[in-house]
Amino acid sequence: MNARTAQEAESGATALVRTGAELAALRRTGRRAVVMTMGALHEGHATLIRTARRLAGPGGQVVVTVFVNPLQFGAGEDLDRYPRTLDADRAIAEREGADAVFAPSVEEVYPGGEPQVRVTAGPMGELLEGAARPGHFDGMLTVVAKLLHLTAPDVALYGQKDAQQLALIRRMVRDLNFPVEIVGVPTVREEDGLALSSRNRYLAPAERTAALALSRALFAARDRLAAEHALLARAAAGGTGTTGFGRAGALAAMGEARAAADAHAVAAAAPSPAAIRAVAQGVLDDAAKAEPPVVADYLALVDPATFREAPEGFAGEAVLAVAARVGTTRLIDNIPLTFGALA
């Protein structure tokens, strides 16, 4: 049996539960997979729910939480106007195979009022989004910890669009020994590249067009990195030959010392994080001069383990992250990059 009552199972309905007691009373077998949301569900959330359904398996249970957490909104942010669309959210959850939607009230999640004891995000929580939105990650981790206790999942899924949030949740789970597997699901985008977000609905048509600068900046950097890796691959391939000199040695033997030096330099070079970041910055600089302007909060190329800037000579997985305002709407986006992929 899954979360649905017999009547709901017959009708195909997804159970709607409002309290921890109701959630605990749900019949449960197999793995429980949880997708935590603040509602206003879109195709990105639908992808998370479908992935959860696959991971839970036909005998498992998928729970979608819908809770707009006041602790992670700062002064002047959009808590009051954040969209509340529970009926539509439940319909999407049902369509994608969720067994239950857990939509508690603020009083249910914080029965004693604003909590005095909270989870602190630590040094990573003070960078990038944490610097732009002080206290945001403490509030986020506090509610995630509470919802993990309330839902008691075997696996919890989060979108990679919120890369810093995902990294912090993983760190909290590891540091505080939560018995749950955390799964990141790749960012879902519109056909034109815009990352799906509940806040996209705030954008006027001209603002939405301007907002494409975020993904264009990221893709430009990704393409430059791929081109540099391709150049290194060609240089490495050209450096092997039957004479034992390699390409650079052959060129030197032919008296083309400058060409040989260039070949050595290309073969020894590694893509520069600063140069890759500069490509994205150039796109954002142009967008800042357009109308409506895109006003960047930050652009950072970071080590995903710490969210500190990747130094020159960095090798391995990285995240290129951007946050910007278009009109009154603040958007974030990121892509994973790999430096030093060549053997």
Side-chain angles (χ1 to χ4, degrees):
M1 290 296 294
N2 60 26
R4 303 174 190 177
T5 65
Q7 183 178 0
E8 286 167 338
E10 267 187 38
S11 67
T14 293
L16 176 64
V17 294
R18 297 283 197 169
T19 69
E22 291 173 349
L23 184 63
L26 293 178
R27 287 170 290 183
R28 172 179 178 177
T29 60
R31 297 184 88 200
R32 174 178 282 181
V34 167
V35 175
M36 295 184 187
T37 82
M38 291 207 301
L41 302 191
H42 49 64
E43 182 57 29
H45 298 107
T47 300
L48 286 167
I49 299 167
R50 286 195 296 271
T51 306
R53 181 74 274 163
R54 177 175 57 80
L55 293 177
Q61 184 184 81
V62 174
V63 176
V64 177
T65 72
V66 175
F67 180 66
V68 181
N69 178 33
L71 293 191
Q72 62 196 76
F73 289 81
E77 293 190 334
D78 57 353
L79 173 61
D80 290 338
R81 71 169 183 150
Y82 197 87
R84 273 81 165 173
T85 57
L86 183 57
D87 289 343
D89 296 342
R90 186 183 182 188
I92 291 172
E94 183 173 291
R95 184 191 74 201
E96 303 302 337
D99 298 293
V101 169
F102 177 45
S105 66
V106 173
E107 292 73 24
E108 179 69 18
V109 176
Y110 302 118
E114 189 168 319
Q116 300 301 299
V117 176
R118 307 187 187 199
V119 178
T120 300
M124 193 194 306
E126 298 172 357
L127 304 171
L128 301 185
E129 283 298 288
R133 306 175 65 189
H136 166 72
F137 285 128
D138 291 357
M140 179 276 295
L141 289 178
T142 298
V143 79
V144 167
K146 289 181 71 75
L147 289 172
L148 286 174
H149 285 312
L150 286 165
T151 60
D154 299 291
V155 57
L157 298 89
Y158 303 89
Q160 291 179 358
K161 185 178 81 69
D162 298 293
Q164 192 174 5
Q165 169 179 286
L166 175 59
L168 281 163
I169 291 170
R170 282 178 165 150
R171 185 61 188 252
M172 177 185 73
V173 164
R174 182 170 70 248
D175 286 355
L176 301 184
N177 299 105
F178 279 80
V180 61
E181 176 189 359
I182 302 299
V183 172
V185 177
T187 301
V188 179
R189 299 182 181 277
E190 298 280 6
E191 288 186 6
D192 58 10
L194 185 68
L196 290 182
S197 169
S198 299
R199 289 187 168 93
N200 289 351
R201 66 186 65 198
Y202 299 153
L203 297 168
E207 292 172 341
R208 191 198 176 287
T209 299
L212 292 173
L214 276 72
S215 56
R216 282 204 312 271
L218 299 178
F219 296 160
R222 178 198 62 192
D223 293 346
R224 174 62 64 86
L225 180 61
E228 292 198 14
H229 278 154
L231 181 62
L232 285 172
R234 288 198 298 272
T240 58
T242 58
T243 65
F245 285 94
R247 180 173 182 270
L251 289 169
M254 293 169 60
E256 299 182 31
R258 175 60 185 273
D262 287 348
H264 279 303
V266 169
S272 160
I276 299 304
R277 183 184 182 280
V279 171
Q281 187 63 59
V283 176
L284 294 177
D285 289 345
D286 290 341
K289 302 170 188 172
E291 185 58 40
V294 174
V295 182
D297 277 357
Y298 61 77
L299 173 70
L301 181 60
V302 300
D303 181 338
T306 63
F307 267 74
R308 296 193 179 278
E309 285 283 352
E312 291 303 290
F314 179 85
E317 298 297 318
V319 171
L320 182 61
V322 61
R325 293 186 182 275
V326 185
T328 59
T329 304
R330 187 174 184 277
L331 301 172
I332 63 172
D333 200 354
N334 71 85
I335 56 170
L337 298 175
T338 302
F339 285 78
L342 297 177

